[in-house]
Amino acid sequence: MDHDDVLRAASMYYLQDMKMEVIARHLGTSRSTVSRLIKRARSTGIVEIHLRPARTRGPGLSRTISARYGIEAYVAPVNDSATDVERLDQVALTTAKLISAWFDSDMVLGIAWGTTLAAIGRRLSPKPTRNSAVVQLNGAANTRTSGIEYASDLITGFGQAFDAAVHHFPVPAFFDYPETKAAMWRERSVQRVLDVQRRADIALFGVGAVTGGLPSHVYSAGYLEAEDIDLLHREGVVGDVCTVFLRADGSYEDVSLNERATGPTPAELQKIGRRVCAVAGDAKVVPLRAALAAGVVTDLVIDELTAEVLVTSPGL
């Protein structure tokens, strides 16, 4: 059975609360085939069933988010008392299973490092593929450390999980000068990695928030100076995607620090067919809205509590 069909059937059945007859019409197949697809999803671990003391709000939230933003939404169930760490872990687990279902041989997976991506990497189960590749989407070095060990371990972990070739991006997260970035982008070694990025079938990333219970790695690990943070606040920045900074309305072109950033811009990300954003925690709601406004998300994985804040809090 095709992995995509298994995943689509399971998503419609469990996340969107659709009946098997409706799913069959959607997929152009029979009800008995849909039943087999759903059973396959359970037997392979794509779907795990846990008893909860209260009914999850996930299916309704998923439908609301999907309808409102025109994307696919996958809501990870959590208890109302779940901590930020527990919420992140459930999102990481759900995302890891989705990526394993979507990514296959002869494909390229683009990875943006960060706190959320590191959690997803720890939840990956091995799935051997052939002629596939994992490529780093943004540089990692900063003024305090090389950043190479952190990003390398994260990207390599994804490569090992899928038996995929790994392409590191050995440049700073932010150049000191826009002119330096322009010069480096002309180097053949850098152009080679940029070419692999452009061939990505899937991009996987989180959203960065300046503050919150689990500070985003770019804001907490020496990538930005205090004056940089002040400048971001003055320019109305609410967060980032792939270390490219966004305002609440999704704009980014005239944010000065973006001239020195090494991650793909929203316009560049939009050229990738499937763009998976994983989000956990209330602090990520504002930058998530910015990412949605920028049009960089096709598939959203979000914990139940954060999803509820997204659809009910002011600003929508």
Side-chain angles (χ1 to χ4, degrees):
M1 293 182 180
D2 184 86
H3 276 291
D4 284 346
D5 286 341
V6 172
L7 183 60
R8 289 176 65 195
S11 297
M12 292 176 188
Y13 187 76
Y14 289 106
L15 298 180
Q16 300 178 44
D17 206 23
M18 294 170 64
K19 295 185 181 299
M20 289 191 187
E21 292 82 359
V22 178
I23 298 171
R25 290 199 299 271
H26 233 70
L27 298 181
T29 188
S30 65
R31 187 185 186 283
S32 60
T33 298
V34 171
S35 178
R36 288 195 296 272
L37 289 169
I38 292 170
K39 289 179 181 177
R40 176 70 173 171
R42 291 199 300 266
S43 66
T44 57
I46 292 175
V47 170
E48 290 184 347
I49 298 175
H50 301 277
L51 294 176
R52 289 168 51 92
R55 181 176 174 83
T56 177
R57 300 177 293 276
L61 290 168
S62 176
R63 288 193 296 270
T64 299
I65 294 170
S66 296
R68 185 171 294 174
Y69 295 105
I71 62 173
E72 293 295 327
Y74 305 87
V75 177
V78 294
N79 293 323
D80 289 345
S81 59
T83 65
D84 282 350
V85 173
E86 290 168 338
R87 291 158 73 173
L88 175 60
D89 187 58
Q90 287 303 306
V91 166
L93 179 61
T94 301
T95 307
K97 290 182 177 180
L98 289 169
I99 292 298
S100 293
W102 290 331
F103 186 63
D104 216 323
S105 300
D106 302 309
M107 295 180 70
V108 176
L109 172 64
I111 300 291
W113 50 261
T115 304
T116 304
L117 271 293
I120 295 168
R122 291 191 293 269
R123 283 297 200 163
L124 288 173
S125 297
K127 176 191 175 181
T129 62
R130 299 181 305 279
N131 195 35
S132 61
V134 174
V135 62
Q136 180 179 337
L137 289 178
N138 47 333
N142 59 54
T143 58
R144 302 178 192 176
T145 72
S146 69
I148 292 174
E149 182 177 354
Y150 169 78
S152 176
D153 287 349
L154 195 160
I155 305 300
T156 299
F158 277 83
Q160 290 174 340
F162 298 116
D163 280 352
V166 173
H167 300 270
H168 298 290
F169 199 24
V171 297
F174 303 97
F175 284 100
D176 288 336
Y177 307 99
E179 298 81 8
T180 309
K181 174 185 172 181
M184 283 294 295
W185 257 227
R186 292 194 295 269
E187 291 291 324
R188 284 179 295 176
S189 60
V190 172
Q191 288 183 358
R192 180 190 64 80
V193 180
L194 292 173
D195 179 63
V196 179
Q197 292 178 2
R198 284 189 287 267
R199 291 189 284 109
D201 300 282
I202 303 172
L204 175 60
F205 52 88
V207 294
V210 181
T211 59
L214 289 173
S216 299
H217 192 80
V218 69
Y219 303 105
S220 63
Y223 288 89
L224 297 170
E225 302 296 337
E227 54 267 30
D228 293 327
I229 299 292
D230 290 341
L231 178 59
L232 293 176
H233 284 305
R234 291 198 301 273
E235 294 189 329
V237 166
V238 297
D240 75 277
V241 169
C242 302
T243 60
V244 172
F245 299 106
L246 306 175
R247 297 188 182 90
D249 63 359
S251 63
Y252 65 93
E253 295 92 339
D254 57 344
V255 175
S256 55
L257 281 175
N258 286 341
E259 296 179 0
R260 303 190 277 117
T262 56
T265 66
E268 290 167 332
L269 277 176
Q270 287 172 10
K271 296 176 182 178
I272 299 173
R274 172 164 266 154
R275 306 180 297 276
V276 186
C277 181
V279 175
D282 295 357
K284 298 295 184 75
V285 169
V286 172
L288 171 58
R289 287 177 181 153
L292 292 166
V296 299
V297 181
T298 61
D299 297 83
L300 173 65
V301 186
I302 186 170
D303 72 272
E304 190 173 335
L305 301 182
T306 306
E308 191 159 21
V309 174
L310 176 65
V311 302
T312 61
S313 62
L316 292 174

